[in-house]
Amino acid sequence: MDKAIFLDKDGTLIKDVPYNVDPARIKCYPDIFPALRLLQKRGYKLVVISNQSGIAKRYFTAADLEIAFSELRDQLKTEHIILDGIYYCPHSDIPAEAQCNCRKPLPGLLYKAASELHIDLKKSWMIGDILNDVAAGRAAGCQTILVDRSKRERLDDQISNPKFTPDFVLDDFLELNQLIALKNRHYEGYEIK
Ligand SMILES: [Mg+2]
Ligand SMILES: [Zn+2]
C-alpha cells in the first residue's frame, strides 16, 4: 500500500479562476514545485481531488476539463513532478439537485482513488485551501492541512465544527515538507521513510 498527498486544485495548486478551463489562465503557485518534488521523491503518490460542478451546470464539458488538466500536468512535468491521478466530481453543487457521494466535503473521490491506486488513507494527507477539502480528508481518515492562501475561511462557521477542523494550517507550501516529515517521524517512531 502506498501513501499519498491528495491535493485540491483551484486555490491550492493554481490560482483560483472560477469555472476556468482555459489552459492560458492556469497559473501554478510557484511554492508548490519544490514541495511536490520532494514529496514525490519521498514516495508519496500525488493525486488531485477536485470539485467541478461546472460540468453539471454545462459551463464546460468533460473534454474541456481534460484539456485544462493536461495543461496542469504539463506545467508540473516541466518541474519534474508527475501526477499519479486526477479525480473530480462533475456533479452539481445545488442542494436541491440530486446529491452525489463524491463532491467534497464528502470523501467519495478519496475512497475511489485509494482503491484504484492502492493507497493507505491513514498514511496520507489531504491538502486544500478551504474547509470542505479538510472535511473530505478527515472523513476518509487522512491527516489534513489547510493551506490558507486567501485567508477567506478563517471566519467561516465551519471552523468550529470538528468535522472541518484541519490538523494543521499553513500559509503556503513552503513549510509543507518539513511539517509532513516531522509528523511522520512522530507517527512512525522516528523511522525516516
Ligand atoms: Mg480550492
Ligand atoms: Zn460527485
Side-chain angles (χ1 to χ4, degrees), residues 8-12 16 129-130 133 152:
D8 168 59
K9 179 171 72 77
D10 300 310
T12 301
D16 193 5
D129 69 316
I130 65 168
D133 301 317
R152 66 184 163 155

Side-chain angles (χ1 to χ4, degrees), residues 15-137:
K15 292 185 184 135
D16 193 5
V17 181
Y19 302 109
N20 177 56
V21 288
D22 176 3
R25 298 181 74 197
I26 293 179
K27 309 266 183 243
C28 288
Y29 287 105
D31 55 274
I32 69 170
F33 298 131
L36 296 184
R37 254 194 313 268
L38 206 61
L39 287 164
Q40 185 144 65
K41 208 168 164 186
R42 290 175 47 210
Y44 285 94
K45 284 187 169 166
L46 303 178
V47 182
V48 170
I49 301 287
S50 184
N51 285 349
Q52 294 293 334
S53 63
I55 291 183
K57 292 174 176 162
R58 307 206 188 284
Y59 295 166
F60 50 80
T61 65
D64 296 330
L65 188 59
E66 288 303 331
I67 293 169
F69 285 149
S70 58
E71 172 65 21
L72 175 63
R73 283 185 188 278
D74 287 349
Q75 289 187 22
L76 291 170
K77 209 177 281 174
T78 306
E79 296 285 337
H80 311 287
I81 297 154
I82 308 292
L83 288 180
D84 294 281
I86 298 179
Y87 290 81
Y88 67 91
C89 165
H91 306 114
S92 179
D93 58 353
I94 298 166
E97 294 181 10
Q99 294 285 301
C100 66
N101 68 358
C102 60
R103 184 177 165 80
K104 294 175 287 183
L106 295 176
L109 293 176
L110 285 91
Y111 288 136
K112 189 176 181 207
S115 128
E116 291 182 0
L117 303 174
H118 312 290
I119 289 164
D120 182 346
L121 290 164
K122 293 252 177 290
K123 285 188 179 167
S124 300
W125 296 73
M126 175 75 211
I127 297 164
D129 69 316
I130 65 168
L131 295 175
N132 280 344
D133 301 317
V134 168

